[in-house]
Amino acid sequence: MKEEEWRTARNSRSLRYAQRVLDPRRWIVLRAGRGYLSRYDGQVALLTAANLFARMTPAVALDIPAVRIAPPLPWAGQELRAFTIEMMLRADPYGKFESRAQRDGDCLVHLGPSGAPSIAHGSGWNIYLGPEPSPLPQAEAANPIGPAMAAIVATASAFKTNLEGAPEAVLLNSLNWQPEIVQESVAELSSAVELGEVWTAGTGSVGTAILYFLTLATRSFSNTLFDMDVVGVHNLDRSPVFTHEQVEMAKAKATEAWLRGAGISNVRSEPRALDESVLWQKREAGTPDILIAAANERNVRSVIETGFPPIQVYGTTGQHWQAAIMRHVPMKDPCSSCLFPATEFAATECATGEVAPSTGEERMDAALPFLSFAAGAMAAAEILKLSLPGYPFTPNRVILNTQPSIGTVRASLVQREGCHCQQRSQSVHRRMIAGTRFAGLS
């Protein structure tokens, strides 16, 4: 496939969603000082921004010092600049990615607490975008969510302004998703986060983004992957793990390969839908500990809810430049079928936005790359919080708006009258989740 054809296919969903992409002639320079970039949080911010921008535009330069990747990132010890450029080229083999300083006409995205008139800074749970200096305290725990979200909202702001003008000011935390700073002592993430057995239904853009950000924090979990689709060129702009070499590979297998490369050895993949999986059909009590329910076809919510599931966490993207996190604690929260009833599933608003082509061809999902990354990071944050004292810190649904301004809305899910979760046996459900790591939340 030639570059023009490849790029048209890669950008197709963004074009359908927003009717534009970033100007490929305008260079974006990602810059960070040695102090921030030598730290775990600075490296997470850089890797997230580079991964995301490389999937949105072919012209990205790195203005960063030579440092080694810090633990506990999976690639600790490797040279960060070389690793990042290689990662970007695997996302876009035609990209013009290089290491150099800012030039006239470039769009600068400065990562860190100071060093430019406008900065993107994340540390711990906290997120800041705006004039220097950053008001955020420096967190010491290896928490990827604040720095990842700072990079994501900086990207969203750059896309909104089409690389013109200063970004809007954002102050937010990813612990309770409120516009305030939280101290690390309130909810410090452990250096040995253990998640147990995680099953992921749906390894598309949001499903893989959840796993990507989880893996930046911990590899102490096993993973079973379910997805019947294959990687397409159009998937490369929204998933942080798919590469151009994996086009036409089963998504579950491609995700398994990435997880193994990141240091998770206990992974198995089922390249089929959840309702066709023998693993799901013959699932034993106490398995899994967490279900990431990131699929959105074949009435998957009904399949899940009739199977007496454990706690579910997932993210979605919406049609109005939104990303959201959903949580379903058994016997406590409304179930996922309350939100996505089977008879109406094809028209759900909170699933990935569907855009109808004007040519009469088949409808297809569409979302902007930073929305999928945001939904993944938000869901990963919720999963990482599960073991923290004081959990939960938010209602069971939080929505991130990226226009007209960047901010969050906390909106609890409501139980749907007549949903089958109101009739299923609680005693059977309790026996099915007994022994799971987070059964106590029910």
Side-chain angles (χ1 to χ4, degrees):
M1 187 181 293
K2 295 182 179 179
E3 179 179 358
E4 183 177 357
E5 181 184 3
W6 182 91
R7 203 162 296 289
T8 298
R10 201 278 302 270
N11 293 339
S12 60
R13 276 27 177 191
S14 290
L15 287 167
R16 291 184 184 280
Y17 193 102
Q19 290 76 55
R20 67 178 173 87
V21 293
L22 291 175
D23 184 351
R25 300 164 298 180
R26 182 82 183 274
W27 279 83
I28 294 168
V29 176
L30 301 179
R31 189 171 74 191
R34 184 175 296 277
Y36 188 54
L37 202 65
S38 297
R39 294 170 45 85
Y40 167 90
D41 46 7
Q43 295 183 6
V44 169
L46 186 277
L47 289 169
T48 303
N51 196 336
L52 185 48
F53 272 120
R55 296 174 187 273
M56 298 175 66
T57 180
V60 183
L62 305 181
D63 183 7
I64 60 174
V67 298
R68 295 283 173 182
I69 298 178
L73 288 171
W75 315 282
Q78 297 190 47
E79 205 282 317
L80 178 63
R81 186 165 46 198
F83 176 88
T84 303
I85 290 177
E86 180 183 358
M87 173 191 70
M88 297 162 75
L89 286 170
R90 296 191 72 190
D92 180 354
Y94 302 105
K96 301 187 292 290
F97 308 129
E98 58 188 51
S99 176
R100 65 167 176 80
Q102 182 185 11
R103 298 170 182 163
D104 289 344
D106 291 346
C107 175
L108 176 66
V109 177
H110 186 91
L111 305 171
S114 61
S118 294
I119 58 172
H121 181 219
S123 192
W125 297 110
N126 295 308
I127 304 153
Y128 175 73
L129 186 67
E132 68 168 339
S134 169
L136 304 185
Q138 180 173 284
E140 296 305 326
N143 185 340
I145 305 302
M149 285 300 301
I152 292 166
V153 298
T155 309
S157 181
F159 187 86
K160 284 171 57 180
T161 64
N162 207 10
L163 308 180
E164 298 293 341
E168 65 183 280
V170 177
L171 178 64
L172 191 63
N173 78 75
S174 53
L175 180 68
N176 59 27
W177 296 108
Q178 296 280 59
E180 60 192 21
I181 297 172
V182 296
Q183 297 300 317
E184 187 173 28
S185 57
V186 172
E188 183 174 351
L189 200 60
S190 168
S191 59
V193 179
E194 294 190 4
L195 303 177
E197 188 170 354
V198 179
W199 286 15
T200 305
T203 57
S205 57
V206 175
T208 55
I210 296 170
L211 295 173
Y212 177 83
F213 291 113
L214 281 180
T215 305
L216 299 186
T218 179
R219 266 79 68 203
S220 294
F221 64 95
S222 63
N223 205 199
T224 300
L225 310 162
F226 305 89
D227 200 300
M228 63 182 182
D229 292 334
V230 299
V231 178
V233 174
H234 63 274
N235 298 126
L236 300 181
D237 73 332
R238 290 169 291 160
S239 166
V241 310
F242 294 151
T243 68
H244 70 90
E245 302 106 317
Q246 293 175 327
V247 171
E248 302 301 328
M249 180 186 291
K251 287 182 178 178
K253 293 292 185 183
T255 307
E256 178 185 2
W258 189 89
L259 288 170
R260 290 189 183 279
I264 299 178
S265 57
N266 193 356
V267 187
R268 58 182 174 178
S269 55
E270 280 263 279
R272 53 178 55 85
L274 194 66
D275 61 293
E276 297 179 328
S277 169
V278 174
L279 285 174
W280 177 258
Q281 294 166 4
K282 296 186 176 182
R283 169 177 144 252
E284 297 180 354
T287 303
D289 294 295
I290 303 169
L291 177 62
I292 298 173
N296 61 0
E297 64 277 306
R298 298 172 66 98
N299 286 328
V300 68
R301 309 295 171 186
S302 179
V303 172
I304 290 170
E305 296 299 345
T306 56
F308 301 98
I311 187 170
Q312 298 174 66
V313 177
Y314 55 96
T316 66
T317 59
Q319 297 182 16
H320 305 291
W321 291 48
Q322 296 172 325
I325 165 65
M326 315 287 184
R327 177 187 73 236
H328 304 284
V329 177
M331 279 77 73
K332 186 174 181 181
D333 293 322
C335 80
S336 61
S337 289
C338 289
L339 183 63
F340 299 123
T343 56
E344 302 173 14
F345 184 77
T348 53
E349 294 183 1
C350 288
T352 301
E354 286 191 342
V355 179
S358 58
T359 60
E361 63 194 74
E362 183 181 358
R363 292 170 66 88
M364 60 183 65
D365 66 344
L368 294 170
F370 54 82
L371 296 179
S372 297
F373 273 58
M378 293 172 74
E382 191 69 17
I383 292 170
L384 291 171
K385 297 173 201 174
L386 288 173
S387 299
L388 291 178
Y391 183 85
F393 301 95
T394 67
N396 48 33
R397 174 172 58 178
V398 177
I399 300 167
L400 173 71
N401 295 308
T402 59
Q403 72 166 6
S405 60
I406 296 173
T408 54
V409 176
R410 301 167 11 136
S412 294
L413 300 170
V414 178
Q415 193 168 49
R416 179 173 58 88
E417 187 64 32
C419 183
H420 56 70
C421 66
Q422 297 171 17
Q423 286 81 43
R424 66 186 173 195
S425 168
Q426 288 200 7
S427 61
V428 172
H429 203 161
R430 289 189 184 280
R431 287 199 299 271
M432 279 299 294
I433 67 172
T436 61
R437 187 174 293 265
F438 305 105
L441 295 176
S442 294

